[in-house]
Amino acid sequence: MAQINKLKIFNDPIYGFISIPNALIYDLIQHPYFQRLRRISQMGLSYLVYPGANHTRFHHALGCMHLMQKAVDVLRFKEVLISEEEENALYIAILLHDIGHGPFSHAMEKSIVEDVHHEEISLLFMKKLNEEFNGKLSLAIKIFEGDYHRKFMLQLISSQLDMDRMDYLKRDSFYSGVAEGNVNSERLIQMMNVEDDFLVIEEKGIYSVEKFLMSRRLMYWQAYLHKTSLVGELILTRILKRAKELTLKGVVLPSSEPLQFFMQNKIALEAFDTNTLDLFSQLDDFDIISAIKSWQKHEDFILSSLSKMIINRDLLKIKLTSEKVAIEDLNPLKERFAQENNISIADTNYFIFKGKIKNQAYDKEAEPIRILKKDKTVEDVIESSDQLNLKSLSKSVTKYYICFPKQLI
């Protein structure tokens, strides 16, 4: 039998050629769990605003691995010792960091797979793969869980300046066309070093860090928290909640077997056994979209109306404000909508509701981004920066919103 060449390359529109470093990484990429990421969009419903934003989490995971390869090269060049086993573990951990994302992940986490975070599911997938690959993922799991003694390795995977953020900002900016998000990941990686076991950025890279944080803030307002993407996700969450509510009352809704399972059962983390994980691994964006397409014709007014909104991109009206909205302000709208559509006041909560969004580009409470100064001292980027705007980037900005049907204007 001919030997398969596993040292393949991918052509990426952002970085050019991405190489697969070894046969184990190739086998992980080929695994059905990982291939599922081709069917999970990276930016959820943002394509309702930016038609180009149709790239997938598969793209993103490969991009992260590519950046990790660059980071390992740079750190080794600066005489940071990284063994072959550690290098491989870093590639595996970053490749699989998002493997637990469900379809339209944030909407899923708030409706069907309640209270189970995608990172916890990623870990379950990693542990299952570790069994299949005879323990070859053990070190990657240790780093991912923060149990490895070399702290900077976790920071490369999960921190305020990690490979994940560097790739998604650059990639999402590219595909959405929001140029403000384009970060110079190449230069940031070149400026990386390790001091006292912490990841640091050399002082001359401080402006690249400032640009990175500013890009992150702008991408949140312009793309991830764009009001149309936001209202799309809020409607999707309500569709799935309604579908689950009806299913639990015994109404049979057309949907795929895996989706049916999660609508019929309340699954907590401790109940996430091998069978549940297997069913979760069969869920992707197509299950959700095809279900919503058929639910448009359902006799339940709430389910069909909300489903039509997503399929036809005829969404609820959303208004953003800097002032908190009082719940009583929504009552006249609710009464009118209930009367016009012959539904109860309680049911109007699916169509008329309020909430808030937060944007904080740099979190002072979290692990800081450390700057290595020329005299070998290390300080928080906020202290090092001569930019007043960095201090403002660490402030959390809250905006409030109300959503209601357009016909109530």
Side-chain angles (χ1 to χ4, degrees), residues 128-272:
K128 183 78 175 64
L129 287 167
N130 199 27
E131 287 170 25
E132 284 183 38
F133 285 89
N134 305 320
K136 288 180 185 164
L137 283 72
S138 298
L139 184 56
I141 291 169
K142 211 172 174 182
I143 294 171
F144 187 79
E145 289 189 290
D147 286 342
Y148 194 54
H149 65 279
R150 305 191 74 186
K151 294 281 174 275
F152 77 89
M153 294 197 171
L154 176 63
Q155 288 177 285
L156 287 166
I157 295 155
S158 177
S159 67
Q160 298 207 67
L161 190 62
D162 55 24
M163 302 305 118
D164 175 32
R165 289 182 184 192
M166 276 190 217
D167 182 81
Y168 77 62
L169 287 172
K170 201 170 178 66
R171 191 168 297 278
D172 296 351
S173 154
F174 176 88
Y175 281 97
S176 63
V178 178
E180 288 81 358
N182 189 7
V183 296
N184 192 347
S185 48
E186 199 82 351
R187 177 162 167 82
L188 280 164
I189 290 172
Q190 287 297 331
M191 294 296 121
M192 283 183 168
N193 209 330
V194 173
E195 189 70 26
D196 289 338
D197 204 35
F198 285 111
L199 196 64
V200 293
I201 299 290
E202 291 161 2
E203 193 173 7
K204 55 182 181 283
I206 193 162
Y207 298 116
S208 302
V209 176
E210 288 176 358
K211 164 77 167 63
F212 168 84
L213 292 172
M214 185 56 84
S215 299
R216 187 162 185 266
R217 176 176 173 269
L218 294 173
M219 274 303 279
Y220 268 84
W221 286 135
Q222 274 187 266
Y224 312 130
L225 296 175
H226 185 289
K227 62 180 192 168
T228 307
S229 315
L230 177 65
V231 76
E233 192 173 292
L234 290 164
I235 294 169
L236 180 57
T237 306
R238 279 161 174 75
I239 292 172
L240 295 172
K241 269 195 165 146
R242 182 61 174 178
K244 187 160 189 165
E245 198 178 293
L246 292 171
T247 303
L248 293 174
K249 281 182 184 166
V251 178
V252 178
L253 296 176
S255 67
S256 68
E257 198 184 318
L259 184 54
Q260 200 68 262
F261 173 82
F262 285 99
M263 291 198 305
Q264 286 167 353
N265 299 284
K266 194 172 166 61
I267 305 288
L269 184 60
E270 48 280 3
F272 235 92

Side-chain angles (χ1 to χ4, degrees), residues 68-77 82 87 90-91:
M68 187 65 88
Q69 287 171 288
K70 298 271 181 217
V72 168
D73 288 347
V74 166
L75 293 176
R76 277 188 175 151
F77 179 74
I82 298 172
E87 173 187 5
L90 285 170
Y91 297 159

Side-chain angles (χ1 to χ4, degrees), residues 207 210 214 381-395:
Y207 298 116
E210 288 176 358
M214 185 56 84
V381 65
I382 294 247
E383 308 309 319
S384 288
S385 170
D386 56 2
Q387 293 276 42
L388 285 171
N389 65 4
L390 263 205
K391 289 200 170 49
S392 63
L393 284 179
S394 65
K395 284 195 178 76

Side-chain angles (χ1 to χ4, degrees), residues 365-377:
E365 306 303 309
E367 183 84 45
I369 296 175
R370 295 175 173 85
I371 301 295
L372 177 65
K373 305 193 77 168
K374 290 190 177 66
D375 62 4
K376 289 291 181 203
T377 56

Side-chain angles (χ1 to χ4, degrees), residues 274-316:
T274 307
N275 179 47
T276 311
L277 195 65
D278 192 53
L279 283 161
F280 186 86
S281 77
Q282 294 168 47
L283 263 186
D284 56 48
D285 289 7
F286 295 94
D287 296 76
I288 305 291
I289 293 294
S290 60
I292 293 174
K293 276 172 72 181
S294 59
W295 296 344
Q296 291 177 98
K297 298 182 178 67
H298 198 267
E299 60 192 26
D300 181 70
F301 170 76
I302 297 169
L303 188 66
S304 64
S305 305
L306 293 173
S307 297
K308 282 175 192 155
M309 287 179 193
I310 292 288
I311 297 300
N312 304 320
R313 197 195 177 278
D314 188 8
L315 308 170
L316 293 169

